[in-house]
Amino acid sequence: MKILVCITNVPDTTSKISFSDDKKKFNDAGVQFIIGPYDEYALSKAVDIKEKNNATIVVLNVGGPETEPTIRKALAIGADEAIRVNAAPTDAWFVAKQIAAVAKDGGYDLILMGRESIDFNGGVVHGMVAELLGLPSVSPVMKMDLEGTKATMAKEIEGGKEWLEVSLPFVAGCQEPIAEWKIPNMRGIMSARTKPLNVVEPVAVEANVSYDQFSLPAPKGAVKLVDASDPAKLLDLLKNEAKVL
Amino acid sequence: MSILIFAEGVDKSIKKSSLEAVSAGFALAQKLSTEAIAIAIGEYDAAALQELGKAGANKVLHVNVAGYPSAIAYASIIAGAAKEAGASVVLLSKSALGDGIVSRLSVQLNAASATGVLAVPEVSGDTLKVRKSIYTGKAFAELSLTGAVKVISLAKNAVPVKEDGAAATVESKTYPLSDLAGKLVHQKEEKASGDILLTEADIVVSGGRGLKGPENWGMIEELAKILGAATGCSKPVSDLDWRPHHEHVGQTGVKVSPNLYIAVGISGAIQHLAGVSASKVIVVINKDPEAPFFKAADYGIVGDAFEVVPKLIEAAKKL
Ligand SMILES: Cc1cc2nc3c(=O)[nH]c(=O)nc-3n(C[C@H](O)[C@H](O)[C@H](O)COP(=O)(O)OP(=O)(O)OC[C@H]3O[C@@H](n4cnc5c(N)ncnc54)[C@H](O)[C@@H]3O)c2cc1C
Ligand SMILES: Cc1cc2nc3c(=O)[nH]c(=O)nc-3n(C[C@H](O)[C@H](O)[C@H](O)COP(=O)(O)OP(=O)(O)OC[C@H]3O[C@@H](n4cnc5c(N)ncnc54)[C@H](O)[C@@H]3O)c2cc1C
């Protein structure tokens, strides 16, 4: 079986976010980049499947050459080969078209992604790719059991979860606790250096979304402290000052 | 031309977040001098459909289909309605279901899309300008959407619900379902019934590891009940199985944007803040005055939760 795992290259969750003075560019100085946390769940699930079912894992990133350390990390975790579509991922539509172009003739039984990127928080690339390929898709998936060509999945819904059954191939957006994150071992790290990382050029896409500018939230004022002995005072402030009760 | 708004339901009523989307659709329709049409799919009480008129819909399309409500099925129905109505904008509320609908619709309608938009879009010729939060609440982006059709989902609690709209006519409709919809077989569902949905709540009371164990959640639930709030928790709390996963708030969990978020015994790690920073007012109760959450809070009490919360409950009963 062949699994495609799509990963983003995103700032570490603890990063301080800032932009260039003209507010047009993300300032990446001093920022540590990681595999998107949800994408890492997708990759970890693929590794679990590989251990049980003898699969080949291909990881895919749409990004510039600067994403290669992140891609190598995915290879160290357990992917067998990698594809980088050599283009800045300008928006979800563009990215989805690139992924669909790669997946179309790739013979993948399963396409795993994260439920959402942590930079742009779109939550849409999996659905777009599935629609472009004419496949079913499910997100956010918390549990997946494969039995032959059938998958049973638990999907989070508002206020609970539901169980679905679907046949391969399909696209899934993953989240915890679908699999435990894997820590790459020495052998993985060594072999990652020599595993194939193929760079392909993007297909042409007409953009219909553009980013005009970025901004940061206004700094928060100081917290107003209420004495622990007088919680009624807190309710009074919430009711009469903040007007939220 | 028209604006089509998809209204999502829960227990035969329309969700508050969908009424917000309808109100945003009304405001946008005004700007574009066109009409706002709401589409509701599934079984509803007649009174529930009238809520859509009050919120600003000029017309309501009711598609009463049974079966598993997947994003795939819904997207094909909404695409059918959008084509019939010549919709230039499809609006809905941001949710996991909403994301699935936006993604499929944007392909089917060849539309520009954006999810989690924070206000009624601004019109500039054929372009719509929208603002959304990025980097999980740490920044904002302003985007321009171009092309003949746009599909946009709105962040929850971003636009107030209009309550003085006229009565809307309700039309029963059917649209073709995608063949793909049948490929997902729904087996069962596990859902807390009667509780206020975390993502829909105006007030959220959340507990962290500082509460020591699941047996101490009684006071969190009681406070939530009195305030009409939903309950949430930090990630370690759901990892430890003290609370169900769908209550876990933050970077890797649910993102909430209520009017009031009350955090009890939560330290305020950056990944937790990522899920709550869109709240209008944040209250922190923590025994450690140095807890980072106080820096992100509007109001705070430095104290032991086991003493403060029971007193707060007593005071809240008198509200
Ligand atoms: C102005 C701007 C500049 C940007 N520049 C860069 C950049 O230089 N490098 C960069 O890496 N990102 C960059 N991004 C982020 C990038 O545009 C988004 O990650 C991408 O558009 C997907 O958006 P999304 O949030 O809708 O994805 P979602 O729909 O939330 O993603 C869902 C899943 O799709 C898959 N996926 C998403 N994006 C990719 C991708 N690029 N490759 C492979 N799989 C993917 C992942 O599995 C992800 O979990 C930039 C964003 C902006 C706004
Ligand atoms: C990639 C990644 C993603 C993550 N995603 C999330 C996420 O989505 N959501 C999330 O919450 N976390 C997330 N985390 C974890 C996060 O970093 C913190 O570890 C977590 O939020 C801490 O939870 P806590 O505040 O409940 O516990 P703690 O950090 O242990 O804090 C407990 C707090 O309770 C206080 N306290 C103790 N006793 C009392 C008392 N009697 N009365 C009052 N206060 C008391 C303490 O002073 C302390 O501040 C993520 C981490 C990573 C690395």
Side-chain angles (χ1 to χ4, degrees):
Chain A
M1 119 168 240
K2 204 171 160 193
I3 307 173
L4 182 66
V5 180
C6 303
I7 61 165
T8 53
N9 174 56
V10 291
D12 179 339
T13 52
T14 57
S15 306
K16 207 168 150 46
I17 302 298
S18 65
F19 299 99
S20 60
D21 290 338
D22 67 359
K23 299 181 170 180
K24 299 260 185 216
K25 263 181 84 92
F26 175 67
N27 188 356
D28 61 5
V31 171
Q32 173 84 32
F33 282 84
I34 56 167
I35 301 175
Y38 293 117
D39 314 346
E40 196 159 342
Y41 286 114
L43 178 61
S44 305
K45 180 65 199 180
V47 172
D48 284 352
I49 296 172
K50 176 176 159 176
E51 278 164 8
K52 262 177 86 180
N53 303 28
N54 199 13
T56 305
I57 304 173
V58 179
V59 317
L60 169 62
N61 170 256
V62 181
E66 71 284 359
T67 69
E68 292 199 359
T70 301
I71 299 176
R72 290 279 174 210
K73 185 171 174 219
L75 291 169
I77 288 171
D80 301 291
E81 51 185 279
I83 301 171
R84 179 171 68 79
V85 177
N86 187 29
T90 43
D91 78 284
W93 176 244
F94 177 87
V95 169
K97 289 257 182 158
Q98 305 308 327
I99 296 175
V102 168
K104 197 164 161 276
D105 302 313
Y108 295 100
D109 301 287
L110 186 59
I111 302 179
L112 298 181
M113 304 196 193
R115 74 171 287 180
E116 168 179 308
S117 78
I118 66 159
D119 52 4
F120 204 53
N121 309 118
V124 290
V125 169
H126 28 76
M128 287 180 178
V129 169
E131 183 68 28
L132 288 166
L133 296 172
L135 294 177
S137 55
V138 182
S139 178
V141 180
M142 305 170 73
K143 202 172 175 322
M144 183 189 293
D145 291 317
L146 281 178
E147 201 57 66
T149 60
K150 227 173 224 152
T152 308
M153 286 178 275
K155 166 178 177 286
E156 187 155 273
I157 53 174
E158 287 178 337
K161 51 186 156 183
E162 63 186 12
W163 278 261
L164 298 171
E165 196 184 273
V166 60
S167 294
L168 298 174
F170 64 91
V171 182
C174 304
Q175 74 170 33
E176 60 163 19
I178 191 163
E180 299 261 352
W181 283 359
K182 312 282 180 263
I183 296 155
N185 57 25
M186 212 42 192
R187 204 168 61 95
I189 294 167
M190 297 303 286
S191 67
R193 293 187 193 157
T194 53
K195 284 178 179 170
L197 193 170
N198 301 310
V199 178
V200 302
E201 290 308 314
V203 293
V205 175
E206 201 183 325
N208 52 18
V209 176
S210 62
Y211 304 98
D212 302 336
Q213 66 169 31
F214 303 107
S215 58
L216 295 172
K220 197 110 190 166
V223 56
K224 204 174 233 184
L225 289 178
V226 174
D227 197 87
S229 63
D230 191 13
K233 172 83 188 150
L234 174 67
L235 294 178
D236 178 54
L237 287 167
L238 292 174
K239 194 170 168 161
N240 298 312
E241 188 177 80
K243 303 203 185 324
V244 288
L245 283 185
Chain B
M1 207 174 78
S2 64
I3 312 289
L4 183 69
I5 307 105
F6 165 59
E8 199 180 323
V10 59
D11 301 333
K12 295 189 194 172
S13 335
I14 305 290
K15 282 187 177 172
K16 174 173 165 269
S17 53
S18 285
L19 295 175
E20 293 164 5
V22 171
S23 302
F26 172 79
L28 185 59
Q30 294 277 321
K31 291 190 199 184
L32 293 168
S33 313
T34 180
E35 57 172 355
I37 305 174
I39 176 165
I41 306 172
E43 204 182 325
Y44 284 98
D45 295 330
L49 295 176
Q50 283 309 323
E51 292 290 309
L52 295 167
K54 282 193 207 145
N58 304 106
K59 189 160 96 179
V60 176
L61 309 177
H62 182 213
V63 183
N64 196 353
V65 287
Y68 170 57
S70 69
I72 300 174
Y74 279 18
S76 55
I77 292 169
I78 299 165
K83 285 179 191 156
E84 187 183 73
S88 58
V89 182
V90 180
L91 272 182
L92 59 158
S93 172
K94 164 100 181 160
S95 67
L97 176 67
D99 287 346
I101 293 172
V102 169
S103 53
R104 288 189 178 264
L105 270 184
S106 61
V107 176
Q108 289 173 24
L109 302 174
N110 196 15
S113 65
T115 55
V117 162
L118 294 165
V120 177
E122 279 175 35
V123 180
S124 163
D126 289 338
T127 301
L128 287 187
K129 293 190 175 284
V130 299
R131 182 176 154 85
K132 69 166 276 180
S133 125
I134 55 173
Y135 296 103
T136 324
K138 288 190 213 167
F140 299 102
E142 266 138 63
L143 322 178
S144 290
L145 309 190
T146 53
V149 185
K150 288 102 178 166
V151 181
I152 296 171
S153 72
L154 276 177
K156 294 186 178 185
N157 207 17
V159 174
V161 177
K162 178 181 157 67
E163 283 164 1
D164 57 357
T169 52
V170 178
E171 289 175 23
S172 263
K173 289 285 201 175
T174 52
Y175 298 99
L177 262 186
S178 158
D179 292 341
L180 269 186
K183 299 213 169 177
L184 297 179
V185 183
H186 187 239
Q187 295 180 323
K188 60 175 173 167
E189 185 173 290
E190 200 177 84
K191 201 167 166 180
S193 64
D195 291 356
I196 297 170
L197 283 175
L198 180 56
T199 46
E200 292 282 309
D202 288 332
I203 304 177
V204 174
V205 182
S206 229
R209 198 150 50 182
L211 290 174
K212 311 280 187 290
E215 66 281 5
N216 296 324
W217 244 262
M219 62 181 189
I220 296 295
E221 286 176 338
E222 190 179 355
L223 181 61
K225 195 155 182 224
I226 296 170
L227 297 176
T231 52
C233 67
S234 66
K235 175 167 153 63
V237 166
S238 73
D239 286 350
L240 289 162
D241 260 338
W242 295 357
R243 301 296 293 177
H245 187 272
H246 64 259
E247 286 197 1
H248 146 204
V249 171
Q251 177 103 47
T252 47
V254 178
K255 278 92 188 160
V256 295
S257 48
N259 291 334
L260 175 59
Y261 185 81
I262 303 178
V264 185
I266 304 179
S267 57
I270 193 158
Q271 296 92 356
H272 186 81
L273 297 182
V276 306
S277 58
S279 309
K280 300 214 164 106
V281 172
I282 294 178
V283 171
V284 169
I285 299 170
N286 195 303
K287 71 172 185 193
D288 175 8
E290 301 299 323
F293 220 148
F294 284 115
K295 291 208 173 63
D298 301 281
Y299 299 96
I301 294 182
V302 178
D304 186 335
F306 298 101
E307 289 165 22
V308 174
V309 176
K311 280 191 204 152
L312 198 55
I313 289 171
E314 287 316 309
K317 280 183 185 160
K318 295 185 195 131
L319 272 182

